[in-house]
Amino acid sequence: MAREWFYERDSKTLTAAAFEFVLETELKRAVRSQNYLTLVTVEASREWEGMTVTADDGTLEEVAKVIAREIRDTDPLGHTDKGTLALVLLDADFDRSACVIDRLVARIESYKFPTALRIAVGAACYPTHAVDADSLKRSAMSRPLVNWRGGIKSLADNN
């Protein structure tokens, strides 16, 4: 039974507290059963007066709606930090994770966001990266796979 306080208002997106709980629970389950689990992070920011600032909540919800169309209902989507969405791909090995990330990036690229919006997509996979949620998040956010800036996509390593 879903509890309303787990979700952002009028959204399928989990609140930060609920997402942290789900991530911890699912990571423990993956460790116990030796299954894969992939954490995908999506950071949105804008250029403002020469600085990069976190995108507002409205923009983040817009990004969440785009992402939600490309994932299974059983894969939790939620907020981790201000300006960061995260998605847990349950029982997802490298190939499945790569396919989902490719779909997310293609969907983000095809959506008409404002040109000043910057989106960075990163991922980390258990058992490769970490066995605790904080380390998994740091791994996913530290080296984005793709940066997308208002219609221009580049591999993050080439920036």
Side-chain angles (χ1 to χ4, degrees):
M1 178 170 102
R3 298 183 196 271
E4 293 303 315
W5 60 270
F6 280 157
Y7 297 96
E8 296 290 336
R9 190 169 50 105
D10 301 325
S11 173
K12 289 185 176 182
T13 308
L14 295 169
T15 63
F19 185 81
E20 293 296 324
F21 176 77
V22 169
L23 177 59
E24 288 283 345
T25 302
E26 291 300 335
L27 187 55
K28 287 176 185 171
R29 185 182 69 82
V31 170
R32 269 194 322 271
S33 59
Q34 297 183 350
N35 286 338
Y36 284 94
L37 176 142
T38 301
L39 176 68
V40 180
T41 57
V42 181
E43 297 177 274
S45 58
R46 294 182 183 277
E47 298 293 325
W48 183 70
E49 296 182 1
M51 299 183 321
T52 302
V53 295
T54 301
D56 59 35
D57 288 340
T59 302
L60 216 51
E61 284 308 312
E62 200 172 348
V63 174
K65 287 177 187 174
V66 170
I67 291 171
R69 294 182 188 126
E70 297 299 322
I71 60 173
R72 300 180 299 189
D73 288 340
T74 55
D75 292 333
L77 173 65
H79 296 274
T80 59
D81 303 298
K82 188 164 176 53
T84 306
L85 290 169
L87 162 66
V88 179
L89 301 176
L90 303 172
D91 303 317
D93 62 13
F94 298 116
D95 292 338
R96 176 170 158 8
S97 298
C99 288
V100 172
I101 291 167
D102 286 346
R103 280 199 330 262
L104 294 179
V105 170
R107 184 78 172 121
I108 288 168
E109 288 176 333
S110 68
Y111 195 81
K112 302 297 182 207
F113 290 111
T115 56
L117 185 64
R118 177 186 171 272
I119 297 176
V121 179
C125 186
Y126 167 80
T128 306
H129 289 92
V131 293
D132 68 277
D134 288 337
S135 297
L136 200 63
K137 284 190 295 187
R138 279 194 302 277
S139 296
M141 294 170 63
S142 66
R143 197 161 166 249
L145 304 170
V146 175
N147 282 327
W148 184 84
R149 187 185 302 266
I152 303 169
K153 179 182 105 171
S154 63
L155 294 176
D157 293 338
N158 296 334
N159 286 343

